[in-house]
Amino acid sequence: MSDSLKATIATTVGASFILETACAATQTSMSSSPHTATAFEFKQIALPYEKNSLEPVIDTMTMDIHYTKHHAAYIKNVNEAIVAEKVSYQSEKEFFDNASTLSAKVRNNAGGAWNHNFFWQVMKPGASGTPYGKIVSALDGSFGSVPKFMEQFTAAAMGRFGSGWAWLVKDASGKLQVTSTPNQDNPLMDLPAGQAGTAHVKGTPLLGLDVWEHAYYLKYQNKRNEYVANWWNVVNWNEVANRLG
Ligand code: MN3
């Protein structure tokens, strides 16, 4: 509030109380640094089930370390990097729409933060192992059949060299596609191309599988194929259908 306006109020109303209140309000807003945007924070979701409840597909110790160490570290690291690097994006969408502008540290840890929040939600205890409901017709329409989709998804998970993720995404045209990303990249990111020049498929993730060794090594060691095959038994198809819209 300008001094002249304060003076006008004081003169017009003739009550010093109002002037004092106005000054206090002005000082409060000044002290909260109105010109510095608050840094966006990624938040780790609460696990939607107990750490032992995806047994025997995913063992309790893997869940515990994965959630409390790996995922928690991505959250902590991205939030520290956002502050240190003064990144001004204010939503997850903004981060991933502009992923190509981010430093490797912010991009990797933002991806890790988001991807794991997503991963926990597309799994659930006591799932049926095969898709059901409206997702079935969508998979049939895009891949020919559910088994053909599962075959493609498994190939993407197995073919991802090193660390990364396999994904089922809905692209801009509404078609479902299988893809994979290296490291902690994801299909929300505006990346021109994937590793080794392979196409980066951009779209809305419906399902994702973490194929980093930290996701399966304690139980499956080098047998990623067994991890992927067993993982279908904990896929939360209700959640996948919800994300299909
Ligand atoms: Mn992981």
Side-chain angles (χ1 to χ4, degrees):
M1 189 183 295
S2 69
D3 288 338
S4 63
L5 181 54
K6 285 173 203 163
T8 305
I9 291 171
T11 309
T12 308
V13 181
S16 62
F17 165 76
I18 291 179
L19 179 57
E20 282 162 15
T21 305
C23 289
T26 304
Q27 282 163 3
T28 303
S29 76
M30 294 281 289
S31 65
S32 64
S33 305
H35 300 296
T36 309
T38 307
F40 178 77
E41 278 195 3
F42 282 81
K43 295 197 169 62
Q44 185 174 32
I45 64 161
L47 261 191
Y49 34 74
E50 298 299 317
K51 287 174 189 154
N52 64 358
S53 61
L54 299 182
E55 291 265 15
V57 174
I58 298 179
D59 61 288
T60 307
M61 185 180 281
T62 295
M63 274 304 294
D64 185 42
I65 296 171
H66 205 173
Y67 179 80
T68 66
K69 306 292 186 205
H70 292 278
H71 189 198
Y74 294 125
I75 299 271
K76 178 173 179 284
N77 291 340
V78 71
N79 289 335
E80 285 178 1
I82 287 168
V83 171
E85 298 179 25
K86 299 184 169 60
V87 184
S88 62
Y89 299 130
Q90 286 297 311
S91 68
E92 290 172 344
K93 184 174 188 311
E94 268 194 275
F95 271 80
F96 298 131
D97 281 349
N98 298 285
S100 57
T101 71
L102 300 172
S103 69
K105 185 171 184 185
V106 174
R107 172 172 150 187
N108 289 337
N109 286 289
W114 190 93
N115 294 351
H116 290 84
N117 277 340
F118 177 82
F119 187 48
W120 312 135
Q121 293 175 74
V122 295
M123 298 189 290
K124 73 167 188 180
S128 76
T130 50
Y132 52 84
K134 69 174 178 180
I135 193 74
V136 173
S137 53
L139 292 173
D140 285 347
S142 294
F143 301 100
S145 69
V146 168
K148 280 185 184 158
F149 153 68
M150 291 170 86
E151 207 173 286
Q152 270 195 44
F153 190 93
T154 300
M158 292 305 299
R160 169 49 54 195
F161 185 78
S163 299
W165 292 73
W167 303 96
L168 170 67
V169 305
K170 183 167 80 170
D171 69 19
S173 72
K175 189 174 185 288
L176 304 193
Q177 292 195 54
V178 164
T179 188
S180 77
T181 54
N183 306 315
Q184 294 295 354
D185 286 351
N186 68 44
L188 296 169
M189 294 180 175
D190 69 330
L191 306 177
Q195 207 170 47
T198 55
H200 176 73
V201 177
K202 196 168 185 300
T204 304
L206 305 180
L207 182 62
L209 173 58
D210 187 342
V211 295
W212 283 58
E213 285 185 346
H214 69 227
Y216 62 88
Y217 208 84
L218 288 178
K219 181 177 172 74
Y220 297 94
Q221 295 85 47
N222 59 318
K223 299 180 288 280
R224 186 190 285 188
N225 59 327
E226 285 184 20
Y227 163 65
V228 175
N230 287 350
W231 177 74
W232 295 110
N233 293 307
V234 293
V235 171
N236 183 350
W237 290 108
N238 283 333
E239 184 64 27
V240 178
N242 287 343
R243 289 167 189 272
L244 180 63

